Amino acid sequence: MTSPERTEKLVLPGVLTAAQARSTVEGILAGQRADGAIPWFRGHHLDPWDHVEAAMALDAAGEHDRAEAAYRWLATHQLPDGSWYAAYADGDATAPTDRTRETNFCAYAAVGVWHHYLATGDDTFVDRMWPTVVAAVEFVLRLQQPGGQIGWKRDADGTACTEALLTGSSSVYQALRCALALAERREEPQPDWELAAGWLGHAIRRHPERFLDKSRYSMDWYYPVLGGALRGPAAKERIEEGWDRFVVPGLGVRCVTPNPWVTGGESAELALALWATGESDHALDILRWMQHLRADDGMYWTGYVFEDEAIWPDERTTWTAAALLLAVAALGGDDATVQVFGGDGLPHGLEPDCC
């Protein structure tokens, strides 16, 4: 059982008490398989991105052994080309249910590995996971397009999809910076990664036409900020521009406009983005509003259809709980989470000089 001292940085007035934090962490732990895999919930599928997000929340809660088990699962089941499949039935590596390989899913391993290192200081872990990170980054960069954006997947037959998603590319940008931090830690410079990150960041900031139009989705609104490509006045301007379209006061954040559906994952991620821009008060508001999604077992419902006053879908996912815990950890000053999402210690100055 999670001990109180492990969740002391996960207490946030109006959001989580110590007992509630323990309950949420235990809910994620209960969803983890013995081999380290963390599916959305037992019986549902695992995807690599949400698996890493849940592992990061376990590290924020001091459950370092269980988080490391999640990263061992990734290292053990990485495909020869450096990728992972998009979905595995109940986290069973022998039972992939979606054989596409998504670039942002694969890149996110670097974020988790860097976060675990910051949480534990374990150089042996970094040495062990470094080949996994290198292979994943190289898989992703083979899909980078001439404009800097990242093609979002390889199909099951190996065909490269050259179309790019702003949300996915923004997540990849954060992952590349974390991979570069790992490279610096190991004293193994990766100039090609630096160039790739620079071009990708430039595309995100200056060339929206290079991405598929998914502007109805709130993730496309805040992810350039959450992933670190936008900071300062540009980040605040972007958040202000979309606020009235996506934020439902008292309830949280819409997943997609104009649908009357707020979701816990998007709400918690927006809170992280707000915190990263220095808007901690607004971040706290969002986290407090989304507590109507908290279930009796400490987990969080995926979403709420407010026109019908209906919880939907009927699921409580590890990744929704994880996003909430990471947002709380950032606001509470957890060092590893602050560095990963605040950008301290990550490479800067990657922007290309030309347009």
Side-chain angles (χ1 to χ4, degrees):
M1 179 172 289
T2 301
S3 59
E5 60 271 16
R6 288 191 172 189
T7 53
E8 63 182 3
K9 289 187 178 178
L10 298 177
V11 175
L12 193 60
V15 180
L16 287 179
T17 65
Q20 288 172 333
R22 290 196 297 275
S23 178
T24 301
V25 174
E26 286 161 8
I28 297 174
L29 291 172
Q32 188 176 29
R33 289 164 47 111
D35 64 359
I38 310 177
W40 286 22
F41 50 86
R42 294 309 306 269
H44 199 26
H45 75 255
L46 172 152
D47 74 71
W49 197 100
D50 289 310
H51 168 83
V52 170
E53 186 88 338
M56 292 169 65
L58 293 181
D59 266 326
E63 296 287 346
H64 303 310
D65 290 344
R66 298 291 288 271
E68 185 171 345
Y71 295 117
R72 283 200 305 271
W73 187 92
L74 287 176
T76 300
H77 301 298
Q78 189 173 34
L79 297 170
D81 66 356
S83 69
W84 293 271
Y85 292 128
Y88 300 83
D90 196 36
D92 182 351
T94 67
T97 55
D98 183 347
R99 291 178 181 268
T100 59
R101 288 155 288 158
E102 298 191 20
T103 47
N104 71 303
F105 282 13
C106 299
Y108 208 57
V111 180
V113 170
W114 180 239
H115 183 263
H116 184 80
Y117 168 72
L118 292 172
T120 63
D122 187 348
D123 282 305
T124 300
F125 169 81
V126 171
D127 293 342
R128 189 164 58 248
M129 290 298 300
W130 177 243
T132 301
V133 171
V134 171
V137 169
E138 293 298 326
F139 166 80
V140 170
L141 293 185
R142 285 194 289 272
L143 275 83
Q144 188 166 35
Q145 303 305 302
Q149 71 275 26
I150 305 291
W152 76 276
K153 66 174 181 175
R154 281 195 184 274
D155 289 325
D157 64 1
T159 302
C161 176
T162 59
E163 294 176 315
L165 300 171
L166 181 58
T167 294
S169 284
S170 297
S171 180
V172 170
Y173 180 77
Q174 181 189 27
L176 289 176
R177 293 175 71 206
C178 289
L180 286 165
L182 287 163
E184 182 177 342
R185 177 67 192 174
R186 288 181 51 82
E187 299 182 349
E188 294 189 29
Q190 302 291 330
D192 289 347
W193 296 4
E194 293 182 18
L195 288 170
W199 281 114
L200 175 57
H202 179 77
I204 292 168
R205 286 186 290 272
R206 299 295 181 87
H207 291 283
E209 76 281 0
R210 294 177 184 171
F211 302 91
L212 294 174
D213 182 6
K214 301 290 183 180
S215 56
R216 293 176 60 237
Y217 291 83
S218 61
M219 294 176 78
D220 258 32
W221 164 50
Y222 63 75
Y223 245 87
V225 179
L226 181 62
L230 287 182
R231 284 291 186 263
K236 292 188 177 183
E237 181 180 343
R238 187 175 185 89
I239 293 297
E240 289 172 0
E241 180 276 330
W243 188 267
D244 291 338
R245 284 188 293 129
F246 292 111
V247 175
V248 183
L251 293 179
V253 179
R254 294 177 192 259
C255 176
V256 57
T257 59
N259 298 4
W261 183 43
V262 293
T263 48
E266 278 80 355
S267 296
E269 288 184 337
L270 176 62
L272 263 175
L274 288 166
W275 164 82
T277 65
E279 299 288 343
S280 293
D281 288 347
H282 285 149
L284 182 57
D285 286 339
I286 297 288
L287 294 178
R288 286 172 172 165
W289 293 346
M290 68 170 283
Q291 294 313 302
H292 69 97
L293 295 172
R294 185 178 177 88
D296 291 341
D297 64 356
M299 300 296 281
Y300 287 79
W301 299 104
T302 295
Y304 175 72
V305 183
F306 50 85
E307 281 190 355
D308 298 331
E309 298 184 352
I311 293 290
W312 185 84
D314 184 15
E315 62 182 30
R316 302 181 303 281
T317 56
T318 51
W319 53 265
T320 300
L324 179 281
L325 291 176
L326 288 170
V328 170
L331 266 71
D334 174 66
D335 186 60
T337 307
V338 165
Q339 290 192 56
V340 165
F341 289 101
D344 295 342
L346 295 181
H348 293 278
L350 299 172
E351 297 81 3
D353 292 330
C354 67
C355 58

